Short mmCIF file of all heavy atoms in Angstrom, two decimals:
data_model
loop_
_atom_site.label_atom_id
_atom_site.label_comp_id
_atom_site.label_asym_id
_atom_site.label_seq_id
_atom_site.Cartn_x
_atom_site.Cartn_y
_atom_site.Cartn_z
N GLN A 403 -1.51 11.77 5.18
CA GLN A 403 -0.53 10.99 5.92
C GLN A 403 -0.85 9.51 5.91
O GLN A 403 0.08 8.71 5.62
CB GLN A 403 -0.34 11.53 7.33
CG GLN A 403 0.87 10.89 8.01
CD GLN A 403 1.26 11.60 9.27
OE1 GLN A 403 0.42 12.08 10.01
NE2 GLN A 403 2.57 11.71 9.53
N PRO A 404 -2.09 9.10 6.19
CA PRO A 404 -2.34 7.64 6.07
C PRO A 404 -2.12 7.10 4.64
O PRO A 404 -1.62 6.00 4.47
CB PRO A 404 -3.83 7.52 6.46
CG PRO A 404 -4.11 8.72 7.29
CD PRO A 404 -3.22 9.80 6.72
N ALA A 405 -2.42 7.90 3.63
CA ALA A 405 -2.18 7.50 2.25
C ALA A 405 -0.68 7.32 1.99
O ALA A 405 -0.25 6.34 1.40
CB ALA A 405 -2.78 8.50 1.27
N ALA A 406 0.13 8.27 2.51
CA ALA A 406 1.58 8.18 2.34
C ALA A 406 2.12 6.92 3.01
O ALA A 406 2.97 6.19 2.43
CB ALA A 406 2.25 9.42 2.90
N HIS A 407 1.62 6.63 4.19
CA HIS A 407 2.07 5.43 4.89
C HIS A 407 1.71 4.16 4.09
O HIS A 407 2.50 3.22 3.98
CB HIS A 407 1.47 5.37 6.28
CG HIS A 407 2.07 6.36 7.21
ND1 HIS A 407 1.87 6.32 8.57
CD2 HIS A 407 2.86 7.45 7.02
CE1 HIS A 407 2.51 7.32 9.14
NE2 HIS A 407 3.09 8.02 8.22
N MET A 408 0.51 4.14 3.52
CA MET A 408 0.06 3.00 2.76
C MET A 408 0.86 2.85 1.46
O MET A 408 1.20 1.74 1.04
CB MET A 408 -1.44 3.08 2.48
CG MET A 408 -2.04 1.80 1.95
SD MET A 408 -1.88 0.34 3.00
CE MET A 408 -2.79 0.83 4.46
N TYR A 409 1.19 3.99 0.80
CA TYR A 409 2.02 3.91 -0.40
C TYR A 409 3.42 3.34 -0.02
O TYR A 409 4.02 2.61 -0.81
CB TYR A 409 2.16 5.24 -1.09
CG TYR A 409 0.98 5.62 -1.94
CD1 TYR A 409 0.31 6.82 -1.77
CD2 TYR A 409 0.51 4.76 -2.94
CE1 TYR A 409 -0.79 7.18 -2.54
CE2 TYR A 409 -0.60 5.08 -3.73
CZ TYR A 409 -1.24 6.29 -3.51
OH TYR A 409 -2.34 6.62 -4.29
N MET A 410 3.90 3.68 1.13
CA MET A 410 5.20 3.14 1.58
C MET A 410 5.08 1.63 1.76
O MET A 410 6.00 0.88 1.39
CB MET A 410 5.67 3.81 2.86
CG MET A 410 6.10 5.25 2.69
SD MET A 410 7.50 5.42 1.56
CE MET A 410 8.78 4.62 2.48
N GLN A 411 3.96 1.15 2.28
CA GLN A 411 3.75 -0.30 2.39
C GLN A 411 3.70 -0.94 1.01
O GLN A 411 4.26 -2.01 0.78
CB GLN A 411 2.47 -0.60 3.18
CG GLN A 411 2.58 -0.27 4.64
CD GLN A 411 1.29 -0.60 5.39
OE1 GLN A 411 0.57 -1.52 5.04
NE2 GLN A 411 1.01 0.20 6.41
N PHE A 412 3.01 -0.27 0.09
CA PHE A 412 2.98 -0.75 -1.29
C PHE A 412 4.38 -0.85 -1.88
O PHE A 412 4.73 -1.88 -2.46
CB PHE A 412 2.08 0.18 -2.15
CG PHE A 412 2.25 -0.05 -3.63
CD1 PHE A 412 1.69 -1.17 -4.22
CD2 PHE A 412 2.95 0.85 -4.41
CE1 PHE A 412 1.86 -1.41 -5.61
CE2 PHE A 412 3.11 0.64 -5.76
CZ PHE A 412 2.56 -0.50 -6.36
N LEU A 413 5.15 0.19 -1.70
CA LEU A 413 6.51 0.21 -2.25
C LEU A 413 7.41 -0.83 -1.57
O LEU A 413 8.35 -1.34 -2.18
CB LEU A 413 7.11 1.60 -2.19
CG LEU A 413 6.51 2.59 -3.19
CD1 LEU A 413 6.95 4.02 -2.90
CD2 LEU A 413 6.82 2.20 -4.62
N ALA A 414 7.13 -1.15 -0.33
CA ALA A 414 7.88 -2.21 0.36
C ALA A 414 7.63 -3.56 -0.33
O ALA A 414 8.51 -4.41 -0.33
CB ALA A 414 7.51 -2.26 1.82
#
Side-chain angles (χ1 to χ4, degrees):
Q403 192 167 36
H407 288 193
M408 191 60 62
Y409 281 126
M410 290 298 294
Q411 289 180 32
F412 166 73
L413 288 169

